[in-house]
Amino acid sequence: MTWNLTEFFENESQASEFCMNLLAEAEGFEKEYKNNLFALSDEDFEEALRKYESISERASKAISWAHLSFAKDTRKGALQAKFEEFYTKIDEKLLFFMLEFNALPRQKQESFCEHCQEHRYFLERSIESKKYELSLAEERVLLRTANTGASAFSRLFDESMARIKFDFKGEKIGEEELLSKLSDKDRLVRKAAALSLSEGLKANSHLLSFIFNIIKTDLKNDCELRGYESAESPRHISNAVSKGSVDALIKACESNFELSHRYYAKKREILGYSELYDYDRYAPLGSDDGEFSFDEAKELVLAAFKDFSPQFATIAETGLNNGWCDAMPADFKMGGAFSHSASADTHPFVLLNFTNKRRDVYTLAHEFGHAIHQFLSYKAGYFGSHTPLTMAETASVFCEMLVFERIKNAASSNEEKRAILGAKIEDIFATLFRQINFTTFERAVHAEPDELSCDSISKLWMNESEKMFGDSLKLNDYYELWWSYIPHFIHTPFYCYAYSYAQLLVLAIFGLYKSGKCENFVEIYTQFLSLGGSKSPKEMVAMFGFDIESSEFWQIGINEVKKLVDEFESL
């Protein structure tokens, strides 16, 4: 099961021609509208805005093709770089448009916003960002140098991680295959995998530390130039959330780390170990080792989706049967998993590295949750479909919960149910508490004014990681390097709290769904996803009767986690 990227272009030559024609169109757009927005009527501005959106969408389609080509084969870095340069040149011709709009008198802006209701939220968000913008000339310089800055080191990280082969019992294996062994039922296999991962990371620690420091410094420079209050401020603005709400989220999670302590203490008791170590975190419980073929996983996910919404199942089945998914690990393939929205005239593209574990079933559900969300949001238009990260994870985590409920309810014994429940609690902890650890670690790293040594980064990592586990689980010394393979720190600084945000939001929404108190829940939820990013998170979550600005909101989701831990302890 693999992608057919000729849905974009037949070959590189056709893609290049497409970009050249689009660049010429962008140059024409610049000549027509630059220094002319104030003179436009409301109708003429709307026409210009739609042209701007169309060019932007088609440029995104070209870079999507290059990005997916690279994800499938990380030896194609030169191809990706070539089309990133095309994208930059096109974007440079469009750069004036929103800068000029943001500089208009407020009365003129309001007139345009009032007329362009479909794009009103997009335009208002742009106005809010004006205080962090530079001059057109300065923005052009930053745009043209972007591909040789942080994004170049992000590419270096991806290419390097894809090429690293870890020595595992005499075999040379890739990252994804090795990580899957951390959930093996044999403790010696798990321990050997942990040691192998650590040794491979240590051998590349200088490079990985250097890349992280470059990302840190690049973000610092950008924040200083633009006047952001802190390194995390750009992410909060992009996510349409306040630092205060993120602080409240972190506080709520850290105040409930005892749930993690309780769970791992019970797991240690069940396994009969005198002490749990880092390589025991994902040890399967009971006789169920959670092995699934891809066909079994596909059948299970589609059945769970269909029980919730036939429309969800239809979208996912269409994708699974028509080349939306590249499922299996391969040499030089990018690690991890994602769903890329691509363009409305194609479809979402899902990347997996399926290794037959139960977690891979949840990952399949998670990424096709993203794909469903992306597919539904196409109707909001290109600009309206861009969902803040905090909202982008809602469908993915919700779809995981649908599959979890189906797997748990099919359990034939308490032992099997406990194993399934335990694995899901561990996944929730990874999505919730671990991502908070990641966020507080990033805060600590980016708070340091100077470049950090590998040892210094590792100490900050251990300080934050130990908070989640307390005395319930021991982190070995080698664990100090495990920050260095986390891609989000490189690709998207301060991304990780969005997972925690979405996890608690989804648990609150899923609890409402299970309660049966919302009769038209499926209809509301489908509309919620279809909105993409065309409304504010506060307004969208209010569709379910929740207030995300309330200090009590996060506790609703935490209480759902507590119910799962209570159930686990009772079995």
Side-chain angles (χ1 to χ4, degrees):
M1 179 172 290
T2 188
W3 296 327
N4 174 19
L5 297 182
T6 60
E7 292 184 59
F8 291 94
F9 307 106
E10 287 294 332
N11 49 48
E12 183 179 343
S13 176
Q14 187 183 70
S16 296
E17 182 180 359
F18 177 89
C19 287
M20 291 298 295
N21 291 336
L22 193 59
L23 178 58
E25 186 176 340
E27 289 171 344
F29 178 85
E30 182 184 39
K31 288 178 183 177
E32 182 175 3
Y33 292 108
K34 188 177 180 181
N35 299 321
N36 193 36
L37 294 195
F38 182 80
L40 297 180
S41 66
D42 291 345
E43 292 75 15
D44 288 341
F45 176 77
E46 182 177 23
E47 181 182 354
L49 181 60
R50 292 192 181 281
K51 289 179 181 177
Y52 172 62
E53 183 175 37
S54 173
I55 296 171
S56 299
E57 183 172 18
R58 283 175 284 154
S60 177
K61 176 180 179 178
I63 197 65
S64 290
W65 172 77
H67 168 69
L68 293 169
S69 297
F70 175 73
K72 189 170 176 59
D73 184 353
T74 56
R75 293 171 296 182
K76 293 185 176 181
L79 176 76
Q80 179 169 258
K82 173 182 175 179
F83 284 88
E84 283 176 344
E85 186 65 19
F86 269 131
Y87 185 85
T88 297
K89 288 179 179 178
I90 294 166
D91 202 23
E92 184 180 356
K93 298 302 177 183
L94 305 178
L95 187 58
F96 78 92
F97 189 77
M98 295 312 298
L99 291 173
E100 195 169 320
F101 169 78
N102 289 345
L104 291 172
R106 184 67 186 118
Q107 185 177 1
K108 189 72 170 178
Q109 290 174 335
E110 180 54 36
S111 178
F112 286 164
C113 289
E114 184 65 27
H115 183 76
C116 303
Q117 285 296 313
E118 182 182 329
H119 293 89
R120 185 180 186 105
Y121 182 64
F122 168 77
L123 294 173
E124 289 176 343
R125 287 289 308 281
S126 181
I127 294 169
E128 291 171 5
S129 71
K130 182 183 186 306
K131 63 182 288 190
Y132 302 110
E133 291 176 346
L134 304 176
S135 68
L136 177 58
E138 290 168 324
E139 293 286 1
R140 285 184 66 190
V141 170
L142 291 178
L143 180 64
R144 288 299 298 270
T145 58
N147 290 339
T148 54
S151 64
F153 286 90
S154 179
R155 171 187 159 189
L156 177 61
F157 175 86
D158 288 340
E159 291 186 9
S160 300
M161 290 303 300
R163 283 165 169 74
I164 294 175
K165 293 299 180 184
F166 297 87
D167 187 0
F168 182 78
K169 295 188 174 182
E171 289 184 75
K172 296 290 186 181
I173 62 176
E175 176 192 356
E176 291 298 327
E177 187 178 354
L178 183 66
L179 291 175
S180 73
K181 295 184 184 300
L182 292 174
S183 57
D184 195 274
K185 58 186 176 183
D186 187 332
R187 195 182 199 193
L188 293 177
V189 170
R190 298 195 303 272
K191 183 176 181 179
L195 290 169
S196 175
L197 176 64
S198 304
E199 290 166 2
L201 295 175
K202 185 177 181 179
N204 292 274
S205 60
H206 175 75
L207 173 64
L208 298 174
S209 300
F210 182 73
I211 292 173
F212 197 6
N213 272 296
I214 290 294
I215 298 299
K216 171 180 175 293
T217 303
D218 185 85
L219 179 58
K220 176 186 175 184
N221 291 341
D222 192 60
C223 288
E224 289 178 352
L225 286 169
R226 296 182 180 280
Y228 287 113
E229 293 77 8
S230 69
E232 62 193 86
S233 296
R235 185 64 53 217
H236 303 331
I237 293 168
S238 174
N239 286 340
V241 298
S242 66
K243 181 178 182 296
S245 69
V246 176
D247 289 342
L249 167 66
I250 291 173
K251 182 178 179 181
C253 290
E254 291 188 331
S255 298
N256 286 276
F257 278 166
E258 59 91 16
L259 293 174
S260 173
H261 305 167
R262 280 173 50 191
Y263 170 77
Y264 285 110
K266 182 66 175 179
K267 181 170 185 174
R268 178 189 57 77
E269 177 186 319
I270 293 168
L271 292 173
Y273 297 160
S274 59
E275 188 162 24
L276 277 188
Y277 291 93
D278 49 80
Y279 51 79
D280 295 319
R281 275 183 303 159
Y282 300 125
L285 295 167
S287 58
D288 176 40
D289 59 5
E291 291 284 334
F292 293 84
S293 70
F294 187 78
D295 285 343
E296 289 171 333
K298 173 181 169 181
E299 182 179 346
L300 198 160
V301 167
L302 290 176
F305 286 6
K306 186 174 183 180
D307 285 349
F308 174 70
S309 164
Q311 184 180 9
F312 275 37
T314 297
I315 295 170
E317 187 170 22
T318 298
L320 285 163
N321 292 337
N322 290 279
W324 292 20
C325 183
D326 194 297
M328 299 303 170
D331 286 344
F332 304 108
K333 179 179 174 180
M334 188 179 289
F338 63 72
S339 179
H340 184 77
S341 60
S343 58
D345 63 345
T346 55
H347 52 74
F349 285 77
V350 174
L351 180 138
L352 302 173
N353 279 277
F354 194 86
T355 57
N356 302 104
K357 302 294 185 182
R358 184 191 291 112
R359 281 186 178 82
D360 293 314
V361 182
Y362 294 137
T363 300
L364 175 62
H366 181 105
E367 298 306 338
F368 267 91
H370 278 308
I372 290 167
H373 193 176
Q374 292 158 351
F375 184 83
L376 290 172
S377 69
Y378 285 155
K379 67 182 66 175
Y382 178 67
F383 290 149
S385 67
H386 290 173
T387 309
L389 297 178
T390 44
M391 296 288 105
E393 295 295 338
T394 49
S396 55
V397 178
F398 189 92
C399 286
E400 280 191 64
M401 291 301 295
L402 291 173
V403 171
F404 161 67
E405 286 288 315
R406 187 174 186 87
I407 291 175
K408 187 182 76 166
N409 292 339
S412 58
S413 67
N414 278 348
E415 182 185 19
E416 183 183 0
K417 186 176 183 181
R418 184 175 64 188
I420 293 166
L421 186 59
K424 186 57 188 172
I425 290 171
E426 290 165 10
D427 283 342
I428 289 175
F429 286 169
T431 307
L432 179 61
F433 294 150
R434 190 168 183 242
Q435 303 303 319
I436 292 300
N437 280 164
F438 287 178
T439 301
T440 54
F441 163 69
E442 282 190 283
R443 281 183 165 183
V445 168
H446 287 275
E448 294 290 333
D450 301 319
E451 184 168 313
L452 295 171
S453 67
C454 181
D455 287 345
S456 296
I457 298 173
S458 295
K459 285 177 183 176
L460 295 174
W461 169 257
M462 290 296 278
N463 287 341
E464 297 304 324
S465 298
E466 288 169 348
K467 293 177 183 178
M468 173 179 165
F469 302 107
D471 296 330
S472 65
L473 185 144
K474 180 176 175 56
L475 300 176
N476 285 293
D477 290 343
Y478 57 66
Y479 189 81
E480 68 178 8
L481 286 170
W482 287 25
W483 56 267
S484 60
Y485 77 90
I486 308 299
H488 297 90
F489 299 155
I490 308 302
H491 297 155
T492 324
F494 293 101
Y495 183 117
C496 296
Y497 75 78
Y499 284 113
S500 306
Y501 193 108
Q503 180 71 77
L504 291 184
L505 172 59
V506 166
L507 287 169
I509 293 174
F510 195 77
L512 176 65
Y513 164 60
K514 287 181 63 181
S515 74
K517 294 178 181 178
C518 184
E519 292 183 4
N520 58 336
F521 180 90
V522 175
E523 178 184 345
I524 293 173
Y525 189 64
T526 304
Q527 175 61 22
F528 170 85
L529 298 182
S530 300
L531 287 169
S534 61
K535 295 184 181 296
S536 71
K538 180 179 175 63
E539 187 176 358
M540 292 174 65
V541 174
M543 295 168 68
F544 301 99
F546 295 127
D547 179 7
I548 59 172
E549 296 297 329
S550 167
S551 58
E552 292 80 32
F553 173 73
W554 301 118
Q555 196 59 42
I556 299 172
I558 292 288
N559 289 341
E560 294 296 320
V561 181
K562 186 177 182 297
K563 289 177 186 177
L564 294 174
V565 174
D566 288 344
E567 183 181 0
F568 178 79
E569 290 178 326
S570 70
L571 291 173

